[in-house]
Amino acid sequence: MKKYDIIVIGGGSGGLTVASGAASLGAKTALIEKRDTLGGDCLHFGCVPSKAFIEAANEVHAAKHIQDLGIETSGKISLKAVNDRVRQAIAHIQEHDSIERFEELGVDVYNGKATFKNDHEIDIEGQESLYGKRIVISTGSSPMVPPIEGLDEVDFITNESVFTMEQLPEKMTFIGGGPIGLELAQAMSRLGSEVTVIEAGPTLLGKEDQDIQKQAQAILERELHVVTGASVQRVRMENGKKMVYYSVDGEETSIASDEIFLATGRTPNSGSLQLDNAGVETDKKGFISVDATLRTNVGHIFAIGDINGTLPFTHVAGEEGKLVVQNALYGLSRKMSYDYMPWNTYLTPEVFHVGLTQQEAQEKHEEVLIYTNQLEEVDRFVTDQSYEGFVKIITDTKGKIVGAHAIGTGAGDWMQTVVQAMAEGNKIGDLSNMVYPYPNHAEAVKRTADQYWRNKLFSGPVQQVSSLFLKWFR
């Protein structure tokens, strides 16, 4: 039996971060991945393919609306060609996540299904068992299939199958209105499908600031048919169509589609690990319980990424991986903080989020200050003809930023300055004092932050004292 300082189960973003970091620090490292390739869901079914897919859809959308410049377009979209481009993007990035690269770093890579034999030993299907002083679980999550009547008798699409499609459906119904579903629903609509989104919650994007929710939904409703507060009762095949029966306020309605896309959340990939053999505890949904140091209830076993049920984002898994390398190899107890962890929903326009929403901030703090700015007041967005959206920055009474939100083209890029400011403990006034080369998109942040100084300097006691001084000064 081979013995390792650390065994990593799962070759996604978090697992690769731990494996490469541990090996680089001289630890004898094993990485177990059930697939034949590394990269995890992000590379093969999530971030990478979806963004390539969305970019193609946006190009089609732009081409359809280029008539304003006197150019006419025609033709039918080839979904196969779109997904060929998706696979090219995956293949290009796969080179950085290749097994050979990690073996060159000193990682022993094993392909196969991993199960716990006990709290230190891991069985790999068809191979020898491994012993690990420390073990990191990073097996991610999969699309959740809800218990909807008839769903097991009707073919449906998820983010794991959409990128193999070759024919564009005329009509699609998305069950679920979370970020994954909405990104792909908008993309499908822009490619030419007639799309309906059925969401159980009262609004789309339920974790976002309420003002962001309202504007995002209003924009999406121009391209999609959106139904909120809906409960899906059953699905079935009728006359060659996939029927979805749902009720709103007790009234049942049905919709016919060529394809059904499930976007009802994620479920952790923990069921096959035989965690009971190691004594590792999970919650009722199967997510592995961890403390702030990302340790499970078994002190030498850690869990990172989607599997621990915190924030299901690739960059979060990567940050957790960095922390775990230190805690696992050196016995440290550094704690993971999510206070300044941003996320971005890649709709058009994009939706950016970091920190508290206005509602959360008002519940947590006695008093908060709200600074907003419309993108139509920012020259670069006007010249780009993409000025729909706004910025909102939330601070305490001393100017400390507790939350920031935006909806606008490229928001995930130009709002990054706010993330840096929050992480460094800078106040909103510091964002105003930065120099922004004109005309750029980040001026949206500056114009929002400028309001802090206008309120501070041009009203109240400072303005009164200045007026008295100017009357006296000759």
Side-chain angles (χ1 to χ4, degrees):
M1 178 183 296
K2 288 187 177 181
K3 295 186 176 181
Y4 290 91
D5 296 316
I6 189 166
I7 296 175
V8 182
I9 306 174
S13 174
L16 295 183
T17 300
V18 176
S20 60
S24 298
L25 291 170
K28 189 175 182 182
T29 306
L31 173 63
I32 307 172
E33 166 56 44
K34 64 181 180 180
R35 300 189 183 99
D36 294 333
T37 56
L38 303 179
D41 275 8
C42 176
L43 176 58
H44 298 286
F45 308 117
C47 317
V48 171
S50 67
K51 302 313 167 283
F53 194 90
I54 289 167
E55 178 61 23
N58 287 344
E59 289 178 13
V60 171
H61 182 75
K64 290 178 180 178
H65 293 80
I66 204 170
Q67 294 94 326
D68 291 345
L69 301 178
I71 298 175
E72 295 185 1
T73 59
S74 62
K76 187 175 181 180
I77 300 304
S78 168
L79 190 58
K80 181 181 183 301
V82 172
N83 279 330
D84 283 345
R85 182 192 287 191
V86 168
R87 285 186 283 274
Q88 289 172 11
I90 294 172
H92 183 87
I93 297 174
Q94 181 72 73
E95 295 178 9
H96 302 291
D97 292 342
S98 67
I99 292 175
E100 292 76 18
R101 175 173 175 267
F102 277 81
E103 289 177 338
E104 290 174 0
L105 292 172
V107 179
D108 289 346
V109 180
Y110 297 86
N111 294 107
K113 179 182 174 182
T115 56
F116 279 88
K117 187 175 182 180
N118 53 54
D119 64 336
H120 279 286
E121 296 180 30
I122 304 294
D123 286 333
I124 306 175
E125 187 176 21
Q127 302 179 55
E128 63 180 315
S129 299
L130 306 180
Y131 177 94
K133 294 179 183 177
R134 303 287 185 270
I135 298 172
V136 179
I137 305 169
S138 183
T139 49
S141 63
S142 300
M144 183 178 69
V145 180
I148 298 174
E149 180 185 336
L151 194 57
D152 57 346
E153 300 174 4
V154 176
D155 291 335
F156 55 83
I157 299 168
T158 69
N159 70 297
E160 293 188 353
S161 56
V162 66
F163 304 117
T164 62
M165 295 176 62
E166 296 189 354
Q167 298 295 325
L168 184 69
E170 289 187 14
K171 293 185 177 181
M172 291 188 71
T173 298
F174 282 69
I175 301 178
I180 294 175
L182 289 179
E183 287 179 358
L184 292 173
Q186 186 184 42
M188 280 295 187
S189 175
R190 292 189 160 202
L191 289 173
S193 290
E194 182 181 329
V195 176
T196 298
V197 175
I198 301 175
E199 165 59 29
T203 64
L204 301 179
L205 302 172
K207 292 185 178 181
E208 301 301 332
D209 185 271
Q210 288 184 6
D211 290 333
I212 296 285
Q213 290 177 23
K214 291 176 183 176
Q215 182 150 14
Q217 183 161 333
I219 292 172
L220 286 171
E221 285 178 338
R222 299 175 198 159
E223 302 181 50
L224 317 172
H225 178 215
V226 176
V227 182
T228 56
S231 174
V232 177
Q233 305 298 317
R234 62 190 182 278
V235 300
R236 63 179 56 174
M237 290 294 299
E238 292 182 11
N239 299 320
K241 295 291 184 180
K242 298 174 182 179
M243 303 293 299
V244 178
Y245 290 83
Y246 62 93
S247 61
V248 178
D249 296 329
E251 183 176 344
E252 187 172 89
T253 310
S254 66
I255 184 170
S257 302
D258 299 299
E259 296 291 353
I260 295 172
F261 190 109
L262 280 189
T264 51
R266 308 286 293 178
T267 187
N269 295 331
S270 59
S272 64
L273 293 172
Q274 298 184 22
L275 294 172
D276 290 345
N277 292 341
V280 174
E281 296 176 353
T282 65
D283 66 14
K284 293 180 180 179
K285 295 182 179 180
F287 292 102
I288 297 176
S289 304
V290 296
D291 62 15
T293 70
L294 301 174
R295 286 178 169 86
T296 69
N297 62 297
V298 180
H300 62 274
I301 300 178
F302 300 76
I304 62 174
D306 289 13
I307 195 72
N308 67 25
T310 50
L311 295 176
F313 303 108
T314 296
H315 55 283
V316 174
E319 291 301 308
E320 290 177 341
K322 293 177 185 178
L323 183 76
V324 159
V325 169
Q326 302 167 59
N327 288 350
L329 293 186
Y330 302 118
L332 302 179
S333 295
R334 292 193 60 201
K335 296 181 179 180
M336 185 70 196
S337 172
Y338 303 95
D339 291 345
Y340 311 128
M341 191 67 70
W343 68 73
N344 207 59
T345 303
Y346 292 90
L347 299 169
T348 302
E350 293 179 7
V351 171
F352 171 88
H353 179 128
V354 64
L356 304 176
T357 65
Q358 180 176 337
Q359 295 71 35
E360 291 168 341
Q362 289 170 336
E363 291 174 2
K364 185 174 181 178
H365 298 272
E366 290 185 7
E367 184 179 355
V368 295
L369 301 175
I370 310 297
Y371 302 90
T372 62
N373 187 73
Q374 299 294 321
L375 297 189
E376 64 183 3
E377 298 176 12
V378 180
D379 294 352
R380 182 56 187 271
F381 287 100
V382 174
T383 63
D384 291 350
Q385 293 289 298
S386 61
Y387 48 79
E388 191 164 39
F390 65 92
V391 176
K392 174 187 285 190
I393 299 178
I394 308 159
T395 76
D396 63 15
T397 54
K398 296 182 179 180
K400 180 183 178 182
I401 304 169
V402 298
H405 308 271
I407 178 169
T409 302
D413 294 323
W414 45 264
M415 284 295 287
Q416 191 64 30
T417 54
V418 184
V419 180
Q420 178 70 12
M422 292 177 70
E424 296 295 329
N426 299 133
K427 296 182 178 181
I428 187 171
D430 298 315
L431 289 171
S432 176
N433 291 336
M434 288 178 60
V435 178
Y436 299 74
Y438 179 87
N440 72 1
H441 298 101
E443 188 188 354
V445 175
K446 176 178 172 56
R447 282 182 169 270
T448 308
D450 283 348
Q451 296 174 35
Y452 169 81
W453 291 116
R454 282 199 293 272
N455 294 343
K456 193 175 184 66
L457 298 177
F458 305 138
S459 63
V462 173
Q463 190 270 344
Q464 295 171 9
V465 171
S466 177
S467 296
L468 291 173
F469 175 79
L470 292 173
K471 289 179 181 178
W472 169 82
F473 181 72
R474 293 291 183 270

